[in-house]
Amino acid sequence: MRILHTGDWHLGRTLEGRSRLIEQEAFLDELVQIVKDQQVDLVLMAGDVYDSVNPPAAAEAMFYDAAARLTETGCHLAVIAGNHDQPERVAAVSPLVARRGISLVGLPVPEAITVPVPRTGETAVIAALPYPSEARLSELLAGDADESELRLAYSAKVGILMRQLAGAFRPNTVNLAMSHIYVLGGVESDSERPIQVGGAYTVDPSALDIGAQYTALGHLHRPQAVKGAGLTRYSGSPLAYSFSEAGQAKSVMLLDVVPGKEPILEELYLSSGRPLVRWSCRGGLAEAYRWLEEGRDANAFIDLEISLTEAMALSDIQALRKAHDGIVHIRPVYPGRELQEELVSRESVPVHELFRKFYQRQTGGAEPEEELVELFMSLVSEQEDECAAADGAVEGGSR
């Protein structure tokens, strides 16, 4: 059978307030066309359908429309919830769509997904584990596990559940695994919301060693293979969602597989979506304007860094943004000035002047309104009064 692995659509996500819905719709059009052209039997969507637990209505409509169009080609669509998704929202319409060849799994369950493929007469078994929070894992394992197992580390709990799901694997079925987790060794980018601060919720690759012929993962936005037993990959996101992904080629993974054999993989690169690029204009404003006149990266979103010797005027910022609607950030860099400013002590510069300098640096040279400066100084005064009162209380107590 022929399988396509994708994930991390993040429908409804914006870039610094700029809508990406048109690009996301273009990606879904491209995905449907790939499924038609390649005669795909099964699409694995490895989580993060949406970018938030309460996505805009336009994003939900886009997902349901894409699901309908994909299954109209004759393929089966299997979707799991990611850490950005509200699991009940993803699975809410399961009773309505199950007969259309759509499997939606919101919360971790102990049963694998079974998908018969009429075209080849084969059957796929998917050990599908949606984003497993610590609480959900403990709840799911509570009925079968003893106290010692419940105290196991997160990675070990994932391994227990994956092995339970793999109990449905058979020698004559195509055996697959799918989850939305962070596996140790994966390369992150800035656009992924951490599954757990500090890296506590990470999974050792050995937890996924359950005999699957292919393991489809979601969460990391860079397409990549995972070291460990068997074929395990992140498909990556279809669009670049942060400038840390600048220059990345986005793709989906196509695989041909029969029971008991290693799959044949092919990475299909996507053409939809505006690229994200970084400009570093060492030649100052003149270089930035020259690149704009040349039409460089005309369809891209741009993170613009400009080397300057004098503060950038507000009129220059406005002119740059008018010249290219994709300029997202404008970051002036003043060689030598930053070090000089760090050497200036706070005692020698009034607080309100330090605030002005900070504001100018953050805004590219714009001058703060007097009302804003006054508000800042009032907050500083309030904090100093609170500190003085606290010091007085300490001194009084010591006496």
Side-chain angles (χ1 to χ4, degrees):
M1 67 179 68
R2 179 158 283 188
I3 300 168
L4 186 142
H5 170 204
T6 179
D8 293 278
W9 294 355
H10 291 274
L11 301 181
R13 186 164 188 147
T14 63
L15 179 66
E16 302 290 339
R18 293 163 171 80
S19 174
R20 311 294 298 278
L21 286 175
I22 292 176
E23 297 169 79
Q24 291 170 339
E25 188 170 10
F27 154 67
L28 293 172
D29 289 342
E30 185 175 6
L31 179 66
V32 171
Q33 193 60 49
I34 290 173
V35 167
K36 288 179 180 178
D37 293 344
Q38 299 292 337
Q39 295 182 311
V40 172
D41 301 301
L42 170 63
V43 173
L44 302 177
M45 198 290 169
D48 280 352
V49 177
Y50 305 115
D51 190 57
S52 70
V53 296
N54 188 27
E60 287 192 289
M62 192 179 297
F63 169 62
Y64 295 137
D65 176 70
R69 288 191 291 151
L70 285 168
T71 54
E72 283 170 1
T73 68
C75 82
H76 188 99
L77 172 64
V79 180
I80 59 173
N83 61 302
H84 282 244
D85 297 314
Q86 213 288 340
E88 289 83 3
R89 182 186 292 272
V90 170
V93 296
S94 293
L96 295 177
V97 300
R99 294 182 181 180
R100 291 194 57 129
I102 302 173
S103 300
L104 304 176
V105 186
L107 292 167
V109 293
E111 299 88 17
I113 300 172
T114 300
V115 180
V117 175
R119 186 182 67 85
T120 64
E122 298 164 331
T123 298
V125 176
I126 311 167
L129 179 63
Y131 165 59
S133 69
E134 176 70 23
R136 290 169 189 162
L137 278 182
S138 297
E139 182 179 337
L140 189 62
L141 293 173
D144 302 320
D146 58 27
E147 276 304 308
S148 61
E149 286 182 328
L150 291 179
R151 288 195 296 268
L152 288 173
Y154 178 81
S155 181
K157 291 180 181 179
V158 169
I160 291 171
L161 190 52
M162 292 300 289
R163 287 191 293 275
Q164 287 182 1
L165 291 167
F169 290 170
R170 296 290 180 266
N172 63 340
T173 58
V174 171
N175 300 320
L176 308 166
M178 176 166 60
S179 190
H180 192 92
I181 49 179
Y182 174 53
V183 178
L184 288 172
V187 180
E188 302 174 82
S189 67
D190 293 343
S191 61
E192 297 124 6
R193 186 174 301 157
I195 285 183
Q196 178 70 12
V197 175
Y201 283 7
T202 55
V203 177
D204 189 273
S206 62
L208 303 177
D209 186 9
I210 59 173
Q213 293 168 263
Y214 180 83
T215 300
L217 296 180
H219 180 57
L220 299 186
H221 289 185
R222 179 192 293 272
Q224 58 192 286
V226 174
K227 292 181 180 179
L231 290 173
T232 304
R233 287 191 63 90
Y234 285 97
S235 65
S237 61
L239 304 180
Y241 286 119
S242 79
F243 284 99
S244 64
E245 299 170 56
Q248 286 185 17
K250 297 299 184 177
S251 62
V252 294
M253 184 58 62
L254 187 70
L255 50 149
D256 286 302
V257 56
V258 298
K261 302 290 186 180
E262 185 171 303
I264 300 171
L265 305 184
E266 181 182 1
E267 190 171 10
L268 303 180
Y269 293 97
L270 300 169
S271 60
S272 50
R274 296 177 67 170
L276 271 61
V277 300
R278 283 179 164 144
W279 284 7
S280 182
C281 295
R282 303 300 181 191
L285 280 168
E287 185 172 48
Y289 284 125
R290 185 172 69 253
W291 289 1
L292 289 168
E293 290 172 1
E294 292 171 356
R296 181 177 299 196
D297 298 316
N299 188 45
F301 287 116
I302 299 171
D303 176 68
L304 175 58
E305 180 181 278
I306 309 178
S307 296
L308 299 171
T309 56
E310 298 180 356
M312 181 184 292
L314 184 59
S315 58
D316 288 320
I317 295 175
Q318 293 172 339
L320 288 169
R321 295 196 182 281
K322 186 176 180 180
H324 195 306
D325 67 352
I327 294 179
V328 177
H329 302 136
I330 299 176
R331 295 183 292 105
V333 176
Y334 304 98
R337 181 179 293 187
E338 292 182 1
L339 178 60
Q340 182 180 0
E341 289 180 353
E342 290 174 4
L343 295 176
V344 176
S345 67
R346 177 168 178 166
E347 289 75 17
S348 64
V349 180
V351 174
H352 68 274
E353 284 300 323
L354 288 172
F355 175 75
R356 289 180 188 276
K357 289 178 179 293
F358 172 81
Y359 186 91
Q360 289 171 346
R361 178 186 291 183
Q362 295 299 109
T363 61
E367 188 70 21
E369 299 287 342
E370 284 303 319
E371 291 84 359
L372 183 60
V373 177
E374 290 173 4
L375 175 60
F376 174 78
M377 292 304 297
S378 69
L379 294 173
V380 170
S381 178
E382 288 177 10
Q383 186 170 8
E384 289 177 345
D385 291 342
E386 291 174 2
C387 291
D391 290 341
V394 171
E395 290 178 3
S398 63
R399 288 196 295 270

